[in-house]
Amino acid sequence: MEEPGFFSTIFEPIEYLFATLLNYLYQLTEMLGFGSYGLAIIILTVLMKIILYPLTVKQLKSMRAMQEIQPKMQRLQEKYKDNPQLMQQKLMKLYQDAGVNPAAGCLPMLAQMPILMAMYYTLFNFDYGGVAPSFLWLPSLSETDPTYILPLISALSTYVLQKISAVSMPNSGQQTKIFMIIMPIFIGWISLNFPAGLVLYWITMNVVQMIQQFWVYRSIDKQSDKEAS
């Protein structure tokens, strides 16, 4: 199976690091008496998400702050739609008063992308060294899931993660609601053709993201309640 695209060469140094870590984690599971590449993938994904947690916090806080001022932004856009220059000035004033930076939500996400993409390319064509990489009901992590269970779980976990985000940000628009339907279907569809190990990584990442997102938004809400009282 060939790697998907020549851009994978950009991430080769990080890919090598991830592949090495994955092999070490497999050896660790072997020492514990149950050698499993599936478990090694899960552990590596969790560790990666923990390392990226500070960036995740910044991204989620910025997203929440932008969502909270969304109604005011819409009113300004409607009021000054015939004067774009004045509208931009009013929006900038709104951002300053609210202490919000529109780019703050994008920068942490962009910083995470090289790591996430390197993980993707690492698992897409990972060399399991002749070991039969079976896991749970999966005959091989290097092949697609013949039962279609994993692609279904990947689609479901993507939907649940987006649903949690929508509940946490109640002012989501119609485009967000449409995206919530299209994205899980797309993820489930492409998962049908991806190695099971890569789909397992995506599912694990979704689950950890749900936990982190719940924790961050819970902390924000507690802080808001404390300041209100």
Side-chain angles (χ1 to χ4, degrees), residues 98-149:
V100 172
N101 183 352
C106 299
L107 294 177
M109 184 165 49
L110 291 175
Q112 296 178 60
M113 285 306 296
I115 297 176
L116 298 177
M117 289 300 296
M119 188 72 170
Y120 165 81
Y121 285 118
T122 299
L123 291 173
F124 192 91
N125 204 29
F126 182 74
D127 181 8
Y128 291 92
V131 178
S134 60
F135 183 64
L136 298 177
W137 70 88
L138 300 166
S140 175
L141 291 169
S142 62
E143 304 293 336
T144 58
D145 181 0
T147 67
Y148 305 123
I149 294 176

Side-chain angles (χ1 to χ4, degrees), residues 50-133:
I50 291 174
I51 293 172
L52 294 174
Y53 181 68
L55 292 176
T56 300
V57 171
K58 290 183 179 180
Q59 179 184 344
L60 292 175
K61 285 185 175 180
S62 178
M63 288 171 57
R64 170 61 74 86
M66 285 296 294
Q67 194 65 33
E68 287 177 348
I69 66 172
Q70 191 71 25
K72 294 181 180 180
M73 290 173 57
Q74 292 174 349
R75 287 196 292 269
L76 289 175
Q77 289 168 346
E78 179 63 27
K79 184 176 180 180
Y80 299 103
K81 61 182 178 181
D82 296 328
N83 192 337
Q85 185 175 357
L86 182 58
M87 180 178 66
Q88 287 300 320
Q89 293 175 359
K90 294 292 184 180
L91 287 173
M92 290 304 297
K93 180 66 165 57
L94 175 63
Y95 297 150
Q96 292 175 359
D97 293 343
V100 172
N101 183 352
C106 299
L107 294 177
M109 184 165 49
L110 291 175
Q112 296 178 60
M113 285 306 296
I115 297 176
L116 298 177
M117 289 300 296
M119 188 72 170
Y120 165 81
Y121 285 118
T122 299
L123 291 173
F124 192 91
N125 204 29
F126 182 74
D127 181 8
Y128 291 92
V131 178

